Amino acid sequence: MKIKSFLLFALLSIALTINAQPKYIFYFIGDGMGVVPVIATTEWNRTVYNGQRPLTMTQFPIAGYCTTYSVSGSITDSAAAGTALSTGHKTINGMLGVTPDSIPVYSMANVLKDNGYGVGVVTTVFGDDATPGAFYAHVPSRKMTYDIDNQFIDGKVDFLACANLKGMKDSKGNPTDIKDKYAKNNIKVVYSLDELAKVDKKSANKIVLIEPNPFNDSNVGFTMDSIPGMLTITQMTQACLDNMLEKSPDKFFMMVEGGNIDHALHGNDAGTAMTEIYKFDEAIQIAYNFYLQHPDETLIVITADHDTGGMVIGRDGKYYADFDAINRQTISKDMLSLDCKAMITSRSIIGWEDMQEYLTAKLGFWTDVKLSDAQTQRIKEAFDKSFGKRNEIKDEKTLYASHMGFAVEVYKVLDEVSRISWATSGHSGNPVPVFAIGKGAEVFSSLNNNTEIPAKILNLAGYKLY
């Protein structure tokens, strides 16, 4: 009789374990991180560093991909994609947290918060931008950042880490009343990890961690540029996790967006994008370390909102890519462009030899990275036109930056040498990867439409989208 009771108890324990729901959910979204950028980062790591630390995400047991089309067509923007990934609903490009007829739809963060989960959101770009905003706001246009920030007050997010909030300034650059409203609603806004450490996290209604000196006013700065003191995605992810463990240790949900990946890909800057993906992967490692401590209670899902740039490994019919050339790069396209503009503004006399020395130091040109005479001549001609009495080359504008014409030509040559090609400076309709590990991760193994991902996560947790 005792044996039967023991067996019954053992079977019941196994059944409960099998049916247990994830208590800790990590949702990573690499903005613009299509399949090829991930593969390129993997190849760069393999060929340059002999795969000394393989990408954590590519080591997960579940690997698939998903489609990203919106109601507007085969190429989505981040607002429609963010809405799909957070609410399970397709919408029109530019619309956020609403259906095409402007009816609010609620994110998985709402469902989980209403069922006792702590909710944290991390992004390396604006906290009221499309992807983070999709988890707490409902507006007909993603440009309505003041409204998005107002909706954060009553939204379901407990902790937000970001580079900046657009809605804190009006169209003329003057401060709005958002910060005052946050203070009145016991939302603590802090501008450093030291400030964050002093906050009583249990008494604060919500916490917002903001980078005090955002790069280009829009992101936390590229890993490539090693800007001193700038918040990193790993620091922000760890800060969010620490906050969740202190305020909601029993169960929590975290969404972490690698927004800088998209900014680099819009600029067709392969080296910077790959270092951002590698840094994003380090943030994933933080979640994976937590998973190793709680393997039966944790779910980690990684995907992207869309592909940016239409990146291709290879060009000109050559059967190789030179990742060593990319690895010699030590400055982002954005930063090099700003440097060159500063040189002109300072009215310093910059000669061609000075510029050659600068490009050798920053990109390895003419030493480690060999250029043809024709490539050198192209760069010199662009230099003469940009640094002469008249700037004869117009800037090239992307979604997030305006690159000096000279910098554009320099990075075109770098692409030629490294054998990287681009289809666009915008988004593409290419599929994006899906990686998963943890409780119920096998449900993500097949082709996913992006709207299926939040529904599957919630279903594993025992809930449905509103």
Side-chain angles (χ1 to χ4, degrees), residues 51-206:
Q52 292 175 16
R53 187 188 80 78
L55 292 182
T56 298
M57 68 178 102
T58 61
Q59 306 307 301
F60 283 2
I62 302 302
Y65 63 97
C66 76
T67 55
T68 64
Y69 64 89
S70 70
V71 172
S72 299
S74 58
I75 301 177
T76 188
D77 84 323
S78 292
T83 300
L85 289 173
S86 63
T87 74
H89 291 269
K90 296 281 188 183
T91 194
I92 294 170
N93 288 354
M95 302 183 83
L96 190 64
V98 296
T99 62
D101 49 0
S102 296
I103 297 174
V105 283
Y106 294 88
S107 80
M108 59 195 302
N110 289 68
V111 179
L112 293 170
K113 181 64 178 177
D114 289 346
N115 285 279
Y117 282 70
V119 176
V121 170
V122 173
T123 179
T124 56
V125 295
F126 288 109
D128 47 13
D129 211 343
T131 303
F135 285 83
Y136 62 85
H138 317 277
V139 287
S141 171
R142 62 183 290 183
K143 296 179 180 179
M144 299 169 64
T145 52
Y146 177 77
D147 298 89
I148 293 171
D149 290 339
N150 271 290
Q151 290 182 28
F152 177 79
I153 296 172
D154 296 319
K156 303 293 185 176
V157 176
D158 301 304
F159 181 93
L160 172 63
C162 59
N164 205 351
L165 291 174
K166 287 184 186 178
M168 281 189 169
K169 292 182 180 179
D170 61 22
S171 59
K172 296 181 180 179
N174 299 313
T176 64
D177 61 354
I178 288 296
K179 197 170 181 181
D180 291 335
K181 285 185 174 181
Y182 282 10
K184 289 177 182 178
N185 285 275
N186 193 23
I187 298 174
K188 303 296 184 183
V189 179
V190 296
Y191 291 89
S192 72
L193 296 175
D194 289 338
E195 280 188 50
L196 177 63
K198 298 174 184 177
V199 174
D200 183 346
K201 299 173 181 62
K202 290 187 178 180
S203 66
N205 182 25
K206 300 172 186 286

Side-chain angles (χ1 to χ4, degrees), residues 99-390:
T99 62
D101 49 0
S102 296
I103 297 174
V105 283
Y106 294 88
S107 80
M108 59 195 302
N110 289 68
V111 179
L112 293 170
K113 181 64 178 177
D114 289 346
N115 285 279
Y117 282 70
V119 176
V121 170
V122 173
T123 179
T124 56
V125 295
F126 288 109
D128 47 13
D129 211 343
T131 303
F135 285 83
Y136 62 85
H138 317 277
V139 287
S141 171
R142 62 183 290 183
K143 296 179 180 179
M144 299 169 64
T145 52
Y146 177 77
D147 298 89
I148 293 171
D149 290 339
N150 271 290
Q151 290 182 28
F152 177 79
I153 296 172
D154 296 319
K156 303 293 185 176
V157 176
D158 301 304
F159 181 93
L160 172 63
C162 59
N164 205 351
L165 291 174
K166 287 184 186 178
M168 281 189 169
K169 292 182 180 179
D170 61 22
S171 59
K172 296 181 180 179
N174 299 313
T176 64
D177 61 354
I178 288 296
K179 197 170 181 181
D180 291 335
K181 285 185 174 181
Y182 282 10
K184 289 177 182 178
N185 285 275
N186 193 23
I187 298 174
K188 303 296 184 183
V189 179
V190 296
Y191 291 89
S192 72
L193 296 175
D194 289 338
E195 280 188 50
L196 177 63
K198 298 174 184 177
V199 174
D200 183 346
K201 299 173 181 62
K202 290 187 178 180
S203 66
N205 182 25
K206 300 172 186 286
I207 296 174
V208 181
L209 170 63
I210 297 177
E211 164 57 47
N213 299 297
F215 177 72
N216 246 1
D217 202 38
S218 66
N219 63 56
V220 298
F222 294 116
T223 303
M224 174 76 72
D225 297 320
S226 301
I227 302 173
M230 196 77 74
L231 282 173
T232 67
I233 191 170
T234 50
Q235 291 174 326
M236 299 163 88
T237 300
Q238 186 64 59
C240 184
L241 177 57
D242 291 344
N243 184 273
M244 292 294 104
L245 290 172
E246 184 168 346
K247 194 167 184 178
S248 184
D250 294 332
K251 50 184 180 179
F252 60 76
F253 165 77
M254 283 175 53
M255 189 287 290
V256 179
E257 181 199 23
N260 281 17
I261 300 170
D262 185 57
H263 286 212
L265 289 168
H266 272 290
N268 290 170
D269 185 349
T272 299
M274 289 189 292
T275 54
E276 287 305 316
I277 291 172
Y278 199 78
K279 194 68 176 180
F280 179 63
D281 193 72
E282 288 181 2
I284 293 169
Q285 182 68 39
I286 292 172
Y288 181 62
N289 290 341
F290 183 88
Y291 159 81
L292 292 176
Q293 298 173 356
H294 309 274
D296 296 324
E297 302 171 305
T298 305
L299 172 66
I300 305 174
V301 179
I302 305 154
T303 191
D305 49 356
H306 52 74
D307 171 77
T308 299
M311 185 181 186
V312 176
I313 304 171
R315 63 184 295 149
D316 304 328
K318 305 295 184 181
Y319 282 65
Y320 69 91
D322 188 354
F323 287 98
D324 278 310
I326 292 175
N327 194 55
R328 188 60 180 80
Q329 178 184 347
T330 61
I331 190 170
S332 69
K333 186 176 183 178
D334 288 43
M335 184 65 82
L336 186 142
S337 182
L338 290 173
D339 275 1
C340 290
K341 289 179 180 180
M343 291 176 196
I344 293 174
T345 303
S346 69
R347 297 186 179 182
S348 301
I349 299 175
I350 307 296
W352 170 237
E353 292 76 14
D354 299 316
M355 182 53 67
Q356 281 187 297
E357 184 177 341
Y358 174 82
L359 294 178
T360 297
K362 299 298 184 181
L363 299 171
F365 281 3
W366 302 292
T367 54
D368 298 326
V369 180
K370 306 300 181 184
L371 303 187
S372 68
D373 291 342
Q375 289 168 332
T376 297
Q377 185 60 31
R378 279 169 46 204
I379 294 175
K380 185 179 185 305
E381 288 176 0
F383 170 80
D384 291 338
K385 291 179 179 179
S386 296
F387 286 79
K389 292 183 179 180
R390 296 179 301 169

